[in-house]
Amino acid sequence: MTTPTIELKPSARPLPAAEREAILADPGFGRHFTDHMVTIKWTEGRGWHDGQLVPYAPIPLDPATNVLHYAQEIFEGLKAYRQPDGSVATFRPDQNARRFQRSAKRLAMPELPVETFIEACDALVRQDKDWVPPHGGEQSLYLRPFMIGTEVGLGVKPSNEYLFIVIASPAGAYFPGGVKPVSIWASQDRVRAVPGGMGDAKTGGNYAASLLAQAEAAAHGCDQVCYLDAVEHKWVEELGGMNLYFVYGNKIVTPTLTGSILEGVTRDSLLTVARDLGYEAEEARVSIDQWRADTESGALTEVFACGTAAVITPVGTVKTDGVEWTQGDGTPGEVTVRLREALLGIQRGLTEDKHGWMHKLG
Ligand SMILES: *Cc1c(COP(=O)(O)O)cnc(C)c1O
């Protein structure tokens, strides 16, 4: 397979520095986009070609384009962090690249080579480096690589052409007012993914499937939905866009990957970070009944959710049909806070990067 090099066609009119600075002062999440994007095409018989870095702009699509009807779409999410010396680094982009390949495979889409995925992210971050917020806070530049089927036609089959794009958006601190626990609605009837389905692929369809349950969580006064397994409605899987961890004193436990759980890079990193800090870390099945019983007995001391966007979010109150309980005293637990600091320390270049996770862009 050929690896296209990315042709640089930068904007003649990037946003003036003063306007960019005004956005960076309060970026929020996913509201503002940088000056550029990277696009790479794939065509049957030709493979990957025409890699370009171009000004950020709308993409014209024929109304009969595959993705608009049959949803061949996958995406990724990773962040670039400003380091203490002013340089910029991304966190484990190879992991996102590999997951992007697994998602592509599941949706019958072509697999972008790992090095091309990383090259595309690097090209965009280098070009829009001034959009990476300063070191010192919890801000970062969020990268959103994605791919869509672009064949025109209503026949149901894998598209014979695809468009891969990377865009970037400055992200503010997830918890501007300090880390605050989220409340969780454990849905007994809605499911996110089924065995043999596409729960382990990062695809827009899984998010579309989660929106109604999310609205139901809000109607129950909760911030997030926790999904149980689709067969027994018993085993805890994950939130709509974050994995879960249970803290039993010195041991942290995350649900075993059963095929319907998305394999988070943060989840994986925390298994290692926790062991580095002297905790035990393991994967196991946890039922919703056990969650409640172990909280009530005091054995389960903390619960947190994790993902690239928020890094680590403590779970406070849990509600499910007719019952409700609260982890600890409703404030972030000690282990949760320690793991959060440890991972943020690596990402922000404050702690030694023992595992070679940071991808430095200079
Ligand atoms: C992206 C995602 C996560 C978190 O993965 P990270 O790689 O840690 O950001 C968890 N669950 C779902 C459903 C996701 O889409």
Side-chain angles (χ1 to χ4, degrees):
M1 193 166 300
T2 54
T3 304
T5 39
I6 291 157
E7 191 186 342
L8 303 182
K9 297 178 173 174
S11 169
R13 284 178 295 113
L15 199 69
E19 284 175 52
R20 186 182 65 237
E21 296 304 327
I23 290 171
L24 291 181
D26 181 23
F29 181 78
R31 292 194 282 118
H32 303 278
F33 299 91
T34 64
D35 293 306
H36 298 90
M37 62 186 189
V38 168
T39 63
I40 308 178
K41 290 178 182 159
W42 186 92
T43 314
E44 205 167 81
R46 190 170 168 197
W48 297 102
H49 61 93
D50 213 9
Q52 301 193 350
L53 177 138
V54 291
Y56 184 96
I59 43 172
L61 289 178
D62 186 287
T65 301
N66 163 298
V67 66
L68 302 177
H69 302 271
Y70 307 127
Q72 272 192 299
E73 189 271 355
I74 58 171
F75 68 95
E76 271 303 325
L78 68 161
K79 285 176 169 176
Y81 304 89
R82 182 76 65 181
Q83 303 297 293
D85 64 0
S87 68
V88 173
T90 50
F91 182 70
R92 306 188 75 187
D94 56 310
Q95 295 298 307
N96 296 91
R98 289 199 173 84
R99 185 170 67 192
F100 198 64
Q101 290 188 326
R102 295 197 295 274
S103 298
K105 198 165 181 190
R106 179 62 186 83
L107 275 92
M109 299 166 89
E111 294 173 43
L112 184 71
V114 168
E115 57 279 11
T116 309
F117 179 100
I118 297 174
E119 189 192 346
C121 293
D122 288 1
L124 183 59
V125 175
R126 284 210 177 90
Q127 183 68 43
D128 287 338
K129 193 174 172 216
D130 292 343
W131 284 89
V132 182
H135 177 78
E138 285 203 7
Q139 299 182 329
S140 58
L141 184 67
Y142 181 80
L143 304 180
R144 168 54 62 85
F146 64 104
M147 175 161 56
I148 57 174
T150 50
E151 182 177 354
V152 174
L154 298 181
V156 180
K157 64 176 191 64
S159 178
N160 64 10
E161 54 175 59
Y162 295 86
L163 182 60
F164 168 77
I165 304 184
V166 191
I167 55 175
S169 173
Y174 197 84
F175 297 105
V179 179
K180 197 175 137 281
V182 292
S183 54
I184 297 271
W185 169 249
S187 181
Q188 299 278 357
D189 48 2
R190 303 274 173 217
V191 297
R192 191 188 80 91
V194 299
M198 56 184 192
D200 56 353
K202 210 167 172 75
T203 174
N206 288 333
Y207 279 73
S210 75
L211 297 176
L212 182 58
Q214 181 62 37
E216 289 169 358
H220 285 94
C222 293
D223 301 313
Q224 292 275 335
V225 190
C226 170
Y227 293 96
L228 305 179
D229 78 285
V231 178
E232 296 178 74
H233 294 274
K234 171 178 173 182
W235 304 104
V236 177
E237 298 213 313
E238 60 169 315
L239 308 189
M242 282 190 273
N243 295 112
L244 276 172
Y245 266 99
F246 298 89
V247 182
Y248 286 89
N250 263 331
K251 183 169 82 179
I252 68 167
V253 177
T254 189
T256 311
L257 299 173
T258 50
S260 46
I261 295 178
L262 197 282
E263 188 175 354
V265 178
T266 318
R267 173 191 180 279
D268 178 73
S269 305
L270 285 170
L271 286 170
T272 300
V273 168
R275 287 173 190 141
D276 288 348
L277 292 177
Y279 297 107
E280 277 178 69
E282 64 178 47
E283 302 172 83
R285 294 185 98 187
V286 177
S287 72
I288 184 74
D289 293 338
Q290 191 188 344
W291 182 347
R292 182 179 172 204
D294 290 348
T295 302
E296 284 168 2
S297 78
L300 175 56
T301 42
E302 304 168 33
V303 178
F304 63 84
C306 65
T308 296
V311 189
I312 287 183
T313 307
V315 171
T317 300
V318 184
K319 287 188 196 176
T320 185
D321 286 351
V323 275
E324 176 176 336
W325 64 90
T326 299
Q327 307 303 140
D329 60 4
T331 62
E334 180 192 320
V335 179
T336 302
V337 171
R338 214 169 146 221
L339 289 169
R340 190 170 195 279
E341 294 296 311
L343 190 54
L344 281 171
I346 297 170
Q347 294 170 335
R348 273 144 233 287
L350 299 171
T351 319
E352 190 200 341
D353 175 23
K354 279 198 238 180
H355 305 285
W357 285 343
M358 300 311 291
H359 175 68
K360 290 227 164 209
L361 297 177

